């Protein structure tokens, strides 16, 4: 089995912010989970480096676009290890292999009869690098995302014959109801299709910062078509001397934010149809992280620095908060206050304290050796079905709900500690019962930690080291690993109090 998950590639006109970390963390949770299921996983992220916003930002700094792309691409590359993302490749759209693949695929689209020359006139946002339809424009001719005045542009372009795919796209949405999720985003894309598709610019003539058009040296490809093809091009050169396309394409899941829905849910499948290539299996569209009611945006200046959060609280805390506090797929507000409350109440007090207490009690009452005991029948009932429930939710990209399913078991284990009071059993000399309780707690803690590993890789990794185990597959969460008789080491607090 194989699984291919992608983030959008991030624009390099400025440095990364929390919104970029959000999507990459979500993709990493999915990738890690599927690796635990024994699947071959390819996880792609990277940077989108061509187009007018990059050229304008570079010129404002008095440097060339390539220099700005090199500088900011490295910042995005540095973000991945800081948030413990396990991407298999980091693509840059200035990679010569990507450029060549874009030229090859789009030349094929032209040869297949889906490219023609014409004049385009419309309202244009330079920060989106996108022409806006009349129904997408805010009052005062403003961009609904960046709140800047749109400009009326007219230029000669080569066009992609998007209108030729009207019926085929409607058929796609009818046959594959889960092609775009959540349902609200599917309906939004389908409504756009049903409103009538028009041909769209494939090239730009007045720009030079882009992939050159092989059949006309005066044009470069419109940045969006260049960027979309990264999902295919990366597989052809991610591993030197090996083409992974047949192994991993079509992609299992493209993760995107809702502001790029139209390009991914409409232009992208139409382009692949035109090139006679297979379509991805699913697009999952998440909402915005909001601060003061606005989407977090470099250009608006309302950003939280993920690096500062990690420096103070650690990468696991950031990963947990972003997957926990805002239901993945919806818009949601974030704040430092809510973050600190989640950290203290759930990570430190519920999970961290549970791990510390269980390990400490085995050390205190059983000299660090896990008693051999059957898992308590009540806990067994609580834990049975956890793996299948979580796997089903992650398959649907319901990452927040999957985390809640695991966390409900964390809370159940905490209640079990209070109900069974091992310290009282030790005082009473109830050795057999104490063995059963401690053995059950270690088994339960281990099983929920295996399922939490995709979300909290650092903390669970430290716990696994203390438990002396390395097996973290889904089978381990089903109880296939017996820790009875295992000597465990002392454990430092997984989520220490932060002053």
């Amino acid at each position: 089995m194989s699984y291919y998950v992608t983030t959008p590639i991030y624009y390099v006109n400025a440095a990364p912010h929390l919104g970029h970390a959000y999507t990459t963390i979500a993709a990493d949770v999915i990738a890690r989970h599927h690796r635990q299921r024994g699947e071959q996983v390819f996880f792609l992220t990277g940077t989108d480096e061509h187009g007018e916003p990059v050229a304008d930002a570079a010129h404002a700094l008095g440097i060339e676009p390539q220099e700005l792309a090199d500088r900011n691409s490295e910042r995005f590359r540095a973000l991945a290890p800081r948030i413990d993302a396990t991407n298999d490749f980091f693509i840059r759209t200035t990679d010569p292999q990507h450029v060549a693949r874009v030229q090859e695929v789009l030349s094929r689209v032209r040869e297949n009869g889906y490219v023609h020359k014409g004049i385009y006139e419309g309202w244009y946002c330079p920060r989106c690098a996108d022409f806006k339809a009349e129904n997408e424009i805010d009052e005062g001719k403003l961009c609904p995302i960046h709140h800047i005045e749109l400009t009326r542009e007219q230029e000669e372009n080569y066009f992609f014959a998007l209108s030729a795919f009207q019926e085929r796209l409607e058929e796609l949405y009818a046959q594959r109801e889960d092609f775009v999720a959540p349902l609200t985003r599917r309906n939004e894309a389908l409504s756009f299709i049903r409103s009538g598709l028009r041909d769209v610019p494939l090239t730009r003539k007045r720009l030079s910062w882009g992939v050159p058009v092989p059949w006309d040296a005066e044009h470069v490809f419109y940045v969006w078509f260049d960027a979309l093809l990264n999902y295919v091009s990366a597989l052809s050169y991610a591993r030197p001397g090996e083409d992974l396309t047949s192994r991993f394409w079509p992609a299992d899941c493209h993760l995107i934010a809702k502001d790029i829905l139209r390009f991914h849910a409409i232009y992208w499948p139409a382009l692949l149809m035109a090139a006679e290539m297979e379509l991805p299996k699913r697009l999952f569209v998440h909402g915005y992280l909001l601060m003061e009611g606005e989407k977090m945006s470099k250009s608006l200046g309302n950003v939280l620095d993920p690096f500062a959060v990690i420096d103070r609280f650690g990468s696991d805390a950031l990963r947990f908060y972003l997957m926990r506090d805002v239901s993945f797929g919806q818009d949601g507000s974030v704040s430092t206050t809510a973050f600190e409350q989640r950290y203290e109440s759930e990570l430190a007090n519920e999970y961290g304290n549970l791990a510390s207490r269980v390990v400490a009690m085995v050390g205190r009452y059983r000299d660090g050796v896990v008693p051999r005991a059957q898992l308590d029948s009540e806990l067994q009932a609580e834990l049975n079905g956890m793996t299948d429930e979580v796997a089903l939710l992650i398959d649907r990209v319901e990452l927040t709900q999957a985390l809640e399913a695991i966390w409900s078991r964390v809370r159940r284990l905490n209640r079990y500690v209070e109900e069974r009071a091992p310290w009282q059993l030790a005082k009473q000399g109830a050795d057999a019962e104490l063995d059963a309780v401690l053995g059950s707690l270690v088994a339960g803690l281990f099983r929920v930690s295996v399922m939490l590993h995709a979300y909290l890789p650092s903390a669970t990794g430290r716990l696994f080291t203390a438990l002396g185990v390395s097996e973290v597959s889904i089978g381990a969460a089903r109880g296939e690993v017996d820790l009875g008789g295992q000597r465990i080491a002392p454990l430092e607090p997984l989520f220490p109090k932060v002053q």
Side-chain angles (χ1 to χ4, degrees), residues 24 27-28 31-32 35 41 43 80 83-89 319:
T24 305
D28 187 63
R32 285 177 180 271
R35 291 190 195 107
V41 171
F43 166 19
I83 57 179
D84 280 330
T86 54
N87 53 293
D88 296 280
F89 190 59
R319 292 169 66 99

Side-chain angles (χ1 to χ4, degrees), residues 82-155:
R82 290 292 304 278
I83 57 179
D84 280 330
T86 54
N87 53 293
D88 296 280
F89 190 59
F90 186 96
I91 189 171
R92 298 182 59 185
T93 56
T94 51
D95 290 343
Q97 301 96 322
H98 169 76
V99 169
R101 189 80 165 110
V102 168
Q103 292 174 325
E104 174 203 335
V105 172
L106 295 181
S107 294
R108 189 191 318 155
V109 170
R110 178 172 176 258
E111 290 162 8
N112 288 345
Y114 297 110
V115 176
H116 62 87
K117 201 170 189 177
I119 302 294
Y120 191 86
E121 181 176 357
W123 294 103
Y124 182 76
C125 174
R127 291 186 187 166
C128 291
D130 180 26
F131 288 96
K132 303 293 183 182
E134 290 293 337
N135 62 358
E136 297 178 295
I137 298 171
D138 278 356
E139 188 177 346
K141 300 299 181 186
L142 299 181
C143 170
I145 297 171
H146 295 103
H147 310 310
I148 61 172
E149 190 170 345
L150 301 173
T151 57
R152 192 73 180 174
E153 301 281 352
Q154 182 185 79
E155 65 180 54

Side-chain angles (χ1 to χ4, degrees), residues 115-122 124 131 153-160 199-207 213 215-216 218-222:
V115 176
H116 62 87
K117 201 170 189 177
I119 302 294
Y120 191 86
E121 181 176 357
Y124 182 76
F131 288 96
E153 301 281 352
Q154 182 185 79
E155 65 180 54
E156 179 187 81
N157 297 311
Y158 287 92
F159 283 74
F160 170 56
D199 295 351
V200 293
L202 181 70
T203 71
R204 304 291 306 276
K205 186 174 182 179
R206 67 181 180 85
L207 292 180
V213 174
W215 64 83
D216 191 330
E218 293 186 339
H219 289 248
V220 297
F221 285 115
Y222 190 23

Side-chain angles (χ1 to χ4, degrees), residues 335-355:
S335 70
T336 54
T337 301
F339 177 93
E340 290 171 2
Q341 287 173 345
R342 288 279 188 190
Y343 181 90
E344 183 174 347
S345 66
E346 295 186 333
L347 289 178
N349 291 346
E350 292 182 350
Y351 180 64
N353 191 44
L354 173 68

